[in-house]
């Protein structure tokens, strides 16, 4: 037989596109259309319904960027259509290639009841099946004219990402507003042919099944009268019945389909638009659940449920009912699908605390899985956090985006820094927007790397990113793939059901140890520096607010601000979403974030000030407040009192030939006439920090134009060209006293200017560097380099509740790919017996490299560079323009414990207040390796004190915790403050609790206070 595959395949495509799909709506009549444009931001539904509308016609332009247009459409169903299925076809000017990334609308009945949403892949509203004929129909459309930011030619700078710069040119034209007869048989034929056509081309040419499908499709096309598709659709379907009924083979891969609509909480749209996207998507999904009994839909992000609860209670009522019915599944148990690299320890924990608690309180649902399909890599501390929150599984897809190394497993156990393992799945379908296309389903089976040992994978199914969700077409395809020869078996299942099956069948799943590093989107650790500084500052202020409020409540009867702290935490957690904190959203999002962080800081400062006043009273005594988890200046952790000067006094002198020498008896720092640190000598160890011939705090600038994903990516070739910023406008001794010496350095470069102050303080084993940058570069990358005279094959970078080690060499492609990585407060590089820490208060991105010097001793230089600023032009063409402030410090001779201490110190600077009395710590811990990350009152308002701590040095630690209050009881809890046996044995004696910690172990202690009613009065 001749090979006519190409002929039949081409015929199928053309007949579907030009004859069968157009026959879906064989008869139609136009609807009357009128419109009203809301002034400014979206208005309440009642206002949109009652506004005075102006008549419009199809073909007219509408929709300024980010505007809201209320359309009223109405018409009469022709009497001749009685007994037939009728739909409204509402095309606002959609481009079907981009659902979620352009205009969309929520459809209401005249009384304001939300019906469903329309978008490029969901343009219909069902009138009736069948209709009576003669019905009068009317709907109102709340249409958002969101501009297309990521167009067919992506990554072009655009002013459309902010309402303030987007202009008012209409973005769309009404394309179709009709009532139409819906031909169910033609629709079913379309699904039949699409499923078989897509499956057919995925099968091997040698496969008999491929030829069976080819011949059946050919016969079906022969049966279609191209001039009477509607009249011959049934005959065409009959030719396909046999091949559609052939069952799948016993060894077929099994796919759990989960309805899904990954909705970015902000990205190429602002937060306020996400609120409406969620309402539109959930309206469609609850309606689809009513129509399709097998369908299961999962949605993560408690914040998004909270939004519809607040803004669309009628939609939320449908969601709650569907959750109760077990069909709409709250997934993931996090407040948002956050970035996991940059959130601090406590913030990462609170993502689960607030997310899981919301699902428990609203739905009675306890999540066993973390659901993070689109997050840009996963920090090594996350497994323990997930387990400590009471969960045990993780799903993500994003690692399949890695550019260089293909991850070796799809199902495995992931081991974190403390040894905790969680069962993890990467869907081999390689998308979190699966459309049930044959190519996707076949790819999932072929791609699955655990064949032979396991046979289950998951497919998140539905349009995502901008929402939209699953469509009736996807469900129809899944129904045909439920048991079809040549295809994997597809079944709708809840995530928990999938994980239970997958874990049971794969008890010896392989283990991956350490971070799940994404070899892509590395620049998200640096882009939008103000957003990152706002996050870090908010995290530290929340720590202080909880600490001092709990101390004041427990010792001074001060009202504890439960509601305020809960609300502020949720605001900060929202802004850790994986396109906000990473700096990859439009200008509007980051402009709002900067304002929100300022408001958060002001409110938290008020809470802190009020609590400290309640503790210290009113008086003239000068007090230093220590919010850090380690003592300093003679003041205990979590205490306030008079500071005690420590160490020898500081001396400063001018060097011959220019520059300055600073010394405090611990360090001797030499700054040359260029303002560069050419020596940092550890006096006690008689050890030089700066590599011979090198200069530390060297600012370097690179060109930065990645191949794509501008705000997200930095490509390795950026390092090929570098300019050292060595020319100084000014190098002066700005301050010289016995307590501190400061050198001021000013530089100009390009269109920018930087002013740095380098300070050596009394008693401190670190050089503090304050950097102010007025940044006006384009597509440039600014780094601060520290070449260290250290021979090290690895370095330590802080992550949540501990640190991880990364290699300094590039022996393998896996190591070479990590040319930009994340650290929280410190990077530590060491030889046996001596090390150096570089600590910071606002940066995350960094790189570490090593070279062997071409000198007499062939010593090794290990260079640590902090990533300070970038200037990409997409999606925000003004990214990072303007003023920025960074603080970092070089700590020679630092152990890992010193790195932990100095990292907290720079992030929690001393506060100075006046008062009438000193403040004792509410709790004290006798071992610096046991670092307290939170002191607070229990969330249930019982008055119990909750203390969270972890072992921070990477070894075993014994610690004794002592309370300032009479201790009635102590127990270990999970992150949600529920009793657990999954923790260390504790011994209580009087007001002390003794415990032993394994490396990096997290422990949450719940401490009850003796005597009286322990319920702290909530602040009103």
């Amino acid at each position: 037989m001749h090979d006519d595959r190409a002929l039949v395949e081409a015929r199928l495509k053309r007949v579907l596109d030009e004859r069968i799909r157009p026959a879906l709506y064989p008869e139609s009549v136009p609807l009357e259309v009128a419109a009203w444009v809301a002034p400014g931001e979206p208005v309440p539904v009642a206002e949109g319904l009652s506004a005075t509308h102006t008549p419009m016609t199809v073909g007219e332009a509408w929709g300024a960027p980010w505007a809201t247009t209320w359309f009223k459409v109405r018409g009469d169903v022709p009497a001749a259509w009685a007994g037939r299925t009728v739909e409204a076809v509402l095309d606002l000017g959609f481009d079907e290639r981009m659902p979620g990334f352009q205009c969309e609308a929520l459809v209401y009945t005249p009384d304001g009841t939300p019906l469903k949403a329309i978008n490029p892949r969901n343009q219909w509203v069902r009138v009736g099946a069948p209709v009576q004929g003669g019905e009068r129909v009317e709907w109102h459309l709340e249409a958002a004219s969101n501009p297309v930011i990521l167009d067919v030619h992506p990554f072009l700078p655009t002013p459309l990402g902010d309402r303030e710069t987007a202009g008012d040119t209409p973005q769309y034209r009404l394309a179709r507003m009709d009532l139409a007869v819906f031909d169910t048989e033609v629709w079913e034929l379309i699904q039949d042919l699409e499923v078989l056509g897509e499956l057919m081309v995925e099968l091997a040419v040698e496969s008999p099944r491929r030829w069976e499908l080819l011949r059946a499709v050919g016969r079906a096309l022969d049966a279609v009268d191209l001039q009477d598709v509607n009249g011959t659709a049934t005959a065409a379907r009959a030719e396909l019945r046999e091949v559609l009924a052939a069952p799948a083979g016993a060894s077929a891969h099994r796919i759990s389909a989960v309805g899904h609509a990954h909705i970015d909480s902000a990205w190429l749209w602002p937060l306020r638009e996400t609120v409406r996207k969620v309402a539109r998507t959930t309206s469609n999904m609850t309606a689809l659940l009513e129509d399709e009994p097998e369908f299961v839909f999962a949605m993560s992000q408690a914040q998004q449920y909270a939004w519809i609860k607040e803004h669309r209670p009628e939609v939320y009522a449908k969601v709650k009912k569907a959750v109760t019915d077990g069909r709409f599944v709250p997934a993931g148990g996090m407040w948002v699908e956050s970035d996991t690299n940059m959130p601090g320890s406590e913030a990462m924990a609170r993502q689960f605390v607030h997310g899981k608690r919301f699902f428990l309180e609203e739905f009675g649902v306890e999540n066993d899985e973390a659901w993070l399909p689109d997050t840009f890599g996963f920090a090594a501390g996350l497994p323990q956090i997930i387990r400590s929150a009471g969960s045990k599984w993780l799903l993500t897809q994003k690692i399949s985006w890695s550019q260089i190394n293909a991850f070796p497993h799809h199902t495995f156990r992931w081991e974190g820094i403390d040894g905790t393992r969680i069962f993890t799945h990467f869907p081999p379908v390689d998308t979190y927007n699966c459309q049930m296309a044959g190519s996707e389903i076949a790819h999932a089976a072929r791609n699955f790397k655990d064949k032979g040992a396991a046979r289950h994978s998951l497919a998140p199914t539905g349009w995502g990113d901008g929402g939209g969700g699953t469509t009736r077409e996807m469900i129809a395809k899944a129904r045909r793939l439920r048991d079809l020869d040549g295809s994997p078996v597809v079944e709708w299942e809840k995530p928990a059901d999938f994980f239970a099956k997958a874990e049971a069948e794969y008890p010896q799943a392989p283990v991956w140890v350490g971070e799940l590093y994404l070899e892509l989107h590395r620049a998200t650790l640096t882009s939008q520096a103000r957003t990152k500084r706002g996050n870090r500052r908010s995290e530290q202020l929340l720590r202080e607010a909880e600490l001092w409020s709990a101390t004041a409540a427990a010792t001074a009867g001060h009202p504890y601000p439960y509601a305020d702290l809960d609300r502020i935490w949720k605001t900060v957690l929202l802004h850790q979403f994986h396109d906000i904190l990473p700096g990859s959203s439009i200008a509007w999002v980051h402009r709002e974030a900067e304002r929100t962080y300022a408001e958060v800081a002001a409110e938290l400062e008020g809470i802190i000030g009020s609590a400290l006043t309640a503790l210290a009273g009113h008086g003239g005594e000068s007090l230093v407040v220590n919010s850090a988890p380690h003592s300093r200046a003679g003041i205990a952790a979590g205490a306030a009192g008079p500071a005690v000067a420590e160490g020898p006094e500081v001396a400063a002198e001018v060097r011959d030939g220019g520059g300055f020498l600073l010394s405090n008896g611990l360090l001797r720092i030499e700054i040359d006439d260029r303002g560069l640190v050419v020596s940092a000598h550890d006096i006690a160890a008689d050890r030089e920090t700066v590599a011979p011939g090198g200069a530390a705090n060297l600012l370097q600038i690179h060109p930065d134009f990645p191949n794509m994903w501008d705000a997200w990516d930095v490509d390795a070739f950026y390092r090929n060209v570098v300019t050292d910023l060595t020319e100084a406008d000014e190098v002066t001794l700005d301050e010289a006293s016995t307590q501190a010496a400061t050198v001021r350095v000013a530089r100009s470069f390009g269109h920018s200017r930087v002013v740095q102050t380098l300070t050596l303080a009394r008693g401190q084993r670190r050089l503090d560097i304050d950097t102010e940058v007025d940044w006006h570069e384009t597509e440039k990358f600014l780094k601060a380099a520290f070449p260290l005279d250290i021979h090290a094959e690895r370095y330590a970078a802080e992550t949540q509740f501990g640190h991880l080690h990364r290699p300094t060499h590039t022996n393998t492609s896996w190591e070479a790919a990590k040319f930009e990585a994340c650290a929280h407060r410190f990077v530590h590089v060491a030889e046996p017996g001596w090390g150096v820490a570089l600590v910071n208060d606002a940066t995350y991105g960094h790189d570490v490299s090593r070279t062997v010097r071409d000198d007499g001793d062939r010593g090794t230089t290990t260079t640590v560079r902090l990533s300070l600023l970038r200037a990409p032009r997409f999606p925000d063409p003004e990214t990072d323009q303007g003023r920025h402030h960074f603080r970092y410090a070089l700590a020679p001779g630092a152990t890992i414990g010193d790195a932990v201490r100095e990292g907290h110190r720079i992030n929690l600077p001393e506060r100075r207040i006046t008062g009438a009395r000193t403040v004792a710590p509410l709790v004290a811990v006798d071992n610096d390796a046991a670092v307290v990350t939170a002191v607070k009152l229990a969330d249930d308002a019982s008055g119990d004190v909750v203390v969270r701590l972890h072992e921070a040095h990477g070894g075993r630690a014994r610690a004794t915790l002592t309370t300032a209050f009479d201790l009635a009881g102590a127990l270990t809890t999970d992150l949600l403050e529920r009793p657990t046996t999954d923790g260390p044995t504790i011994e209580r004696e009087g007001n002390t609790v003794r415990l032993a910690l394994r490396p990096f172990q997290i422990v949450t202690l719940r401490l009850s206070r003796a005597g009286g009613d322990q319920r702290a009065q909530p602040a009103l």
Side-chain angles (χ1 to χ4, degrees), residues 12 47 60 115 348 429 568 581 740 1004:
L12 173 62
E47 184 176 345
E60 283 192 51
L115 202 58
M348 200 73 254
V429 71
I568 295 169
L581 180 54
T1004 304

Side-chain angles (χ1 to χ4, degrees), residues 543 628-631 636-637 895-898 900-901 904 923-933 947-962 993-1001:
R543 172 199 175 94
H630 308 97
S631 62
T895 64
I896 198 72
D898 295 327
V900 173
R901 175 190 291 269
H904 281 286
V923 295
V925 180
D926 69 347
N927 186 341
D928 277 358
V931 172
V932 174
T933 61
V947 178
R948 187 147 36 247
L949 51 83
H950 72 286
E951 195 289 316
H953 294 180
R956 304 270 175 176
R958 293 185 178 275
T960 300
L961 179 145
T962 304
V993 176
R994 289 186 294 275
L995 66 163
L997 302 172
R998 67 174 186 269
F1000 301 129
Q1001 184 176 13

Side-chain angles (χ1 to χ4, degrees), residues 556-903:
H558 185 66
Y560 190 81
Y562 290 101
D564 291 337
L565 290 172
D566 179 80
R567 172 178 45 80
I568 295 169
W569 261 117
K570 288 172 179 174
T571 298
V572 174
L573 297 177
L574 166 60
H575 286 79
Q576 291 177 340
F577 178 74
H578 65 251
D579 275 308
I580 303 179
L581 180 54
S584 48
S585 288
I586 56 174
W588 188 342
V589 173
H590 293 289
R591 173 172 55 81
E592 282 192 337
E594 187 174 357
R595 185 181 69 241
T596 298
Y597 283 131
E599 293 168 353
V600 162
E603 188 169 4
L604 289 173
E605 290 286 4
I607 291 171
I608 294 165
S610 176
L612 288 172
T613 298
L615 288 164
H618 297 279
E621 185 178 359
S622 178
L623 303 172
V624 172
V625 179
N626 179 16
S627 303
H630 308 97
S631 62
R632 60 184 173 193
I635 303 165
V644 177
E646 300 175 328
E649 296 179 346
V650 179
E653 61 180 86
V654 179
R655 301 293 288 170
D656 293 339
F660 303 92
L661 181 65
L662 314 179
S663 178
N664 65 358
L666 302 172
L667 300 177
R668 187 167 60 245
I669 306 295
E670 184 176 351
I671 301 169
D672 70 5
D673 59 352
R674 301 171 299 171
L676 302 176
V677 178
V678 292
S679 176
H681 195 80
D682 179 352
I683 295 172
D686 191 21
R687 177 71 185 260
E688 176 56 52
T689 304
V690 181
N697 191 40
L698 171 65
L699 296 178
Q700 297 179 308
I701 196 163
H702 298 267
D704 184 19
F705 188 63
N707 288 343
M708 57 194 305
W709 298 109
D710 296 43
W712 295 257
D713 282 1
V714 56
D715 289 328
F717 54 73
Y718 89 92
R719 296 175 296 183
N720 297 347
V721 179
V722 60
T723 301
D724 293 343
L725 303 180
T726 57
E727 297 296 322
D729 302 334
E730 173 189 349
V731 181
T732 58
L733 189 61
D734 196 50
E735 176 188 346
S737 71
T738 59
Q739 300 303 308
T742 299
V743 173
R744 184 176 188 273
V745 181
R747 306 183 194 279
S748 300
F749 57 94
H751 301 286
S752 304
R753 178 175 168 82
V754 59
V755 176
Q756 293 186 299
T757 55
L758 289 72
T759 301
L760 184 65
R762 181 179 180 181
Q764 303 304 322
R765 295 178 58 87
R766 70 179 189 277
L767 176 67
D768 288 313
I769 302 168
D770 238 87
T771 300
E772 297 275 356
V773 186
D774 189 11
W775 179 250
H776 297 284
E777 304 308 302
T778 298
E779 294 165 351
K780 296 290 193 293
F781 199 177
L782 181 66
K783 293 218 171 209
F786 293 80
L788 308 175
D789 189 12
I790 291 181
H791 177 82
E793 293 184 357
R794 67 176 191 171
Y795 71 96
E798 190 187 33
T799 188
Q800 292 101 1
F801 297 106
H803 58 267
L804 74 157
H805 289 98
R806 298 189 183 101
T808 60
H809 57 76
T810 55
N811 281 359
T812 71
S813 59
W814 293 87
E815 293 150 356
K818 296 182 180 181
F819 59 82
E820 185 79 6
C822 182
H824 286 194
R825 287 169 287 221
F826 70 79
V827 169
H828 182 259
V829 185
E831 296 174 0
W834 195 84
V836 177
L838 190 61
V839 299
N840 74 85
D841 78 335
T843 64
Y844 298 93
H846 69 278
D847 68 85
V848 180
S849 59
R850 66 198 301 266
T851 57
V852 175
R853 299 187 294 272
D854 186 15
D855 56 17
D857 69 355
R858 297 190 300 280
T860 301
T861 297
T862 302
T863 301
V864 179
R865 300 198 305 165
L866 299 180
S867 303
L868 301 182
L869 288 166
R870 300 183 69 237
R873 301 189 65 209
F874 182 88
D876 176 5
E878 298 296 319
T879 301
D880 280 333
Q881 300 300 298
R883 295 186 177 276
H884 300 271
H885 179 214
F886 304 95
R887 292 184 69 233
Y888 40 93
L890 179 69
T895 64
I896 198 72
D898 295 327
V900 173
R901 175 190 291 269
E902 295 298 344

Side-chain angles (χ1 to χ4, degrees), residues 98-350:
M98 293 185 287
F101 292 89
Q102 53 179 291
C103 61
E104 49 195 78
L106 185 57
V107 181
Y108 297 87
T109 59
D111 65 0
T113 301
L115 202 58
K116 71 181 296 286
I118 57 170
N119 60 53
R121 294 299 182 111
N122 203 323
Q123 303 179 18
W124 56 273
V125 176
R126 180 63 59 87
V127 176
V131 296
Q132 298 298 313
E135 295 98 326
R136 181 72 168 168
V137 295
E138 180 178 320
W139 299 282
H140 294 252
L141 281 59
E142 182 189 16
S145 49
N146 302 331
V148 176
I149 306 293
L150 190 66
D151 211 336
V152 175
H153 185 169
F155 317 124
L156 293 179
T158 173
L160 293 172
D162 195 333
R163 186 158 192 168
E164 294 182 357
T165 59
D168 57 6
T169 302
Q171 302 291 292
Y172 302 99
R173 289 186 180 275
L174 285 184
R176 185 176 184 183
M177 292 285 186
D178 288 346
L179 281 178
V181 172
F182 177 83
D183 191 323
T184 303
E185 195 71 357
V186 169
W187 186 84
E188 296 287 1
L189 175 60
I190 293 169
Q191 315 316 313
D192 291 345
L193 288 172
E194 286 191 355
V195 165
L196 294 176
E198 291 166 357
L199 172 61
M200 176 174 65
V201 297
E202 297 297 329
L203 298 175
V205 174
E206 299 80 10
S207 165
R209 178 62 170 167
R210 177 164 181 162
W211 292 93
E212 288 176 5
L213 298 184
L214 186 79
R215 297 301 164 223
V217 167
R219 290 193 301 271
L221 296 177
D222 289 342
V224 174
D225 183 341
L226 299 184
Q227 277 66 53
D228 185 16
V229 173
N230 302 92
T232 55
T234 299
R237 293 195 68 203
E239 297 294 340
L240 303 174
R241 192 168 295 120
E242 183 177 347
V243 291
L244 283 167
S251 63
H253 184 69
R254 311 190 77 84
I255 294 177
S256 297
V258 179
H260 189 235
H262 174 67
I263 304 177
D264 286 313
S265 288
W267 180 29
L268 304 180
W269 44 86
L271 288 167
R272 66 89 154 147
E273 192 55 35
T274 313
V275 176
R276 302 200 296 177
K277 282 179 173 289
V278 174
R280 290 190 282 260
T281 296
T282 52
S283 293
N284 276 1
M285 296 305 97
T286 52
L288 203 55
L289 287 167
E290 292 178 1
D291 294 339
E292 302 289 349
E294 295 181 354
F295 179 49
V296 174
F297 180 78
M299 188 173 89
S300 67
Q301 306 192 75
Q303 172 67 87
Q304 297 188 356
Y305 290 82
W307 275 334
I308 53 174
K309 180 181 179 182
E310 177 184 358
H311 297 282
R312 290 290 189 273
E314 62 278 46
V315 176
Y316 190 65
K318 294 180 180 180
V319 169
K320 287 202 76 169
K321 180 182 182 304
V323 172
T324 300
D325 293 342
R327 308 275 307 290
F328 195 116
V329 182
M334 296 176 68
W335 190 248
V336 294
E337 289 182 13
S338 73
D339 179 81
T340 74
N341 286 312
M342 291 176 282
S345 302
E346 224 17 71
M348 200 73 254
R350 303 299 176 95

